[in-house]
């Protein structure tokens, strides 16, 4: 299983309880990741060919891609690698977010587009799009940024920035306090989906703050389920496991 998400950890736990041998692969981009139960490997495969070789050499009978919806590169490698190895692939991908009454959402295709759009929306920006995308805002000299990351980011960074190191899940009172304390007037995030970080969206709605949301990147077509239970059923259908 290609993991790193809450759904991946839940799936690993559910399958392990059923006696299924699960090997969870993590990219290794977070210093202290939350580890799933079962076997864990950390680090990349070296592209689709490396993944196919690993699958073949370790007698893997099925691959589940339960990575983050924005993990585009591994999504491509998963489809191509599983196909090359001749094993079935399932993508476990949480649904994206949907705007509701009172939401002021502005959709963009990239973080670079978000950096351009904020100039028309506000001056104090709460960035919750991950440390690897902060370079897109390095040229924004007219805004002040609060960037929340799990690990410290590397430059280039915006000239006026404060880093908040934290890890979800979050709640609405806590997110509301952050918006008030830092006088935030724009929230920037990615369409990660799920419930772990939705509190910021609720807090922004209640405060009347606009939200810039980056759309998910395209990934190759693959059989996809949205719920962990469906993934459990898919894996359990293989007699080899």
């Amino acid at each position: 299983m290609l993991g790193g998400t809450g759904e991946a950890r839940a799936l690993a736990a559910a399958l392990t309880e059923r006696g299924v041998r699960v090997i969870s692969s993590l990219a290794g981009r977070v210093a202290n990741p939350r580890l799933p139960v079962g076997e864990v490997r950390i680090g990349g495969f070296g592209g689709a060919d490396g993944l196919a070789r690993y699958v073949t050499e370790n007698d893997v009978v099925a691959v589940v891609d339960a990575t983050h919806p924005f993990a585009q590169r591994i999504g491509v490698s998963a489809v191509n690698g599983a196909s090359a190895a001749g094993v079935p692939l399932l993508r476990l991908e949480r649904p994206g977010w949907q705007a509701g009454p009172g939401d002021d959402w502005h959709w963009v295709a990239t973080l670079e587009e978000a950096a351009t759009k904020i100039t028309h929306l506000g001056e104090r920006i709460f960035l919750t799009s991950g440390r690897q995308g902060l370079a897109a805002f390095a040229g924004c000299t007219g805004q002040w940024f609060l960037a929340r990351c799990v690990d410290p980011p590397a430059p280039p960074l915006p000239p006026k920035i404060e880093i908040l190191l934290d890890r979800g899940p979050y709640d609405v009172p806590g997110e509301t306090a952050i918006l008030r304390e830092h006088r935030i007037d724009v929230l920037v995030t990615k369409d990660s989906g799920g419930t772990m970080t939705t509190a910021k969206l609720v807090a922004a709605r209640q405060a009347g703050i606009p939200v810039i949301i980056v759309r998910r990147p395209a990934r190759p077509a693959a059989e996809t389920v949205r719920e962990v239970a469906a993934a459990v059923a898919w894996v359990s259908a293989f007699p080899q496991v």
Side-chain angles (χ1 to χ4, degrees):
M1 179 161 56
L2 307 173
T5 61
E7 291 81 7
R9 292 189 294 273
L11 179 57
L15 293 175
T16 300
E17 288 179 358
R18 288 163 173 75
V20 177
R21 182 189 175 192
V22 179
I23 304 173
S24 295
S25 177
L26 307 182
R29 293 180 178 176
V30 177
N32 295 295
R34 290 177 173 143
L35 298 178
V37 299
E39 299 176 49
V40 178
R41 70 174 298 278
I42 296 178
F45 293 95
D49 291 342
L51 177 58
R53 187 162 49 251
Y54 179 89
V55 166
T56 301
E57 293 175 353
N58 289 273
D59 299 321
V60 172
V61 299
V63 175
V64 176
D65 176 8
T67 56
H68 193 278
F70 281 79
Q72 186 177 25
R73 182 178 300 177
I74 188 60
V76 173
S77 293
V79 170
N80 294 337
S83 176
V87 300
L89 168 81
L90 179 73
R91 181 176 295 146
L92 171 57
E93 184 176 80
R94 67 182 80 125
W97 290 321
Q98 300 292 325
D103 285 322
D104 181 13
W105 288 9
H106 303 258
W107 291 90
V108 295
T110 64
L111 287 171
E112 287 74 17
E113 186 180 347
T116 299
K117 200 170 191 67
I118 60 174
T119 60
H120 306 292
L121 293 176
E123 297 180 348
R124 297 184 65 83
I125 319 299
F126 187 19
L127 291 178
T128 63
S129 51
R131 64 184 172 89
Q132 296 187 38
L134 295 183
F137 301 90
C140 298
T141 60
Q143 289 79 29
W144 177 90
F145 293 90
L146 174 67
R148 183 165 62 196
C149 316
V150 175
D151 294 321
L157 300 172
K160 294 181 287 188
I161 187 169
E162 179 178 333
I163 304 299
L164 174 61
L165 297 181
D166 199 3
R167 186 199 302 255
Y170 308 102
D171 57 34
V172 175
E175 299 292 69
T176 299
I178 288 176
L179 298 182
R180 289 176 178 171
E181 177 184 350
H182 297 280
R183 308 192 312 280
I184 299 298
D185 53 19
V186 181
L187 169 66
V188 177
T189 190
K190 294 178 177 178
D191 183 20
S192 300
T195 60
M196 184 174 290
T197 62
T198 52
K200 63 189 173 187
L201 301 175
V202 177
R205 179 194 309 137
Q206 294 176 349
I209 292 174
V211 181
I212 299 176
I213 304 184
V214 181
R215 295 186 184 92
R216 295 180 176 185
R219 297 207 280 182
E223 183 177 357
T224 302
V225 296
R226 303 298 189 187
E227 305 293 337
V228 171
V232 170
W234 184 86
V235 173
S236 300
F238 292 97
Q240 301 98 317
V241 301

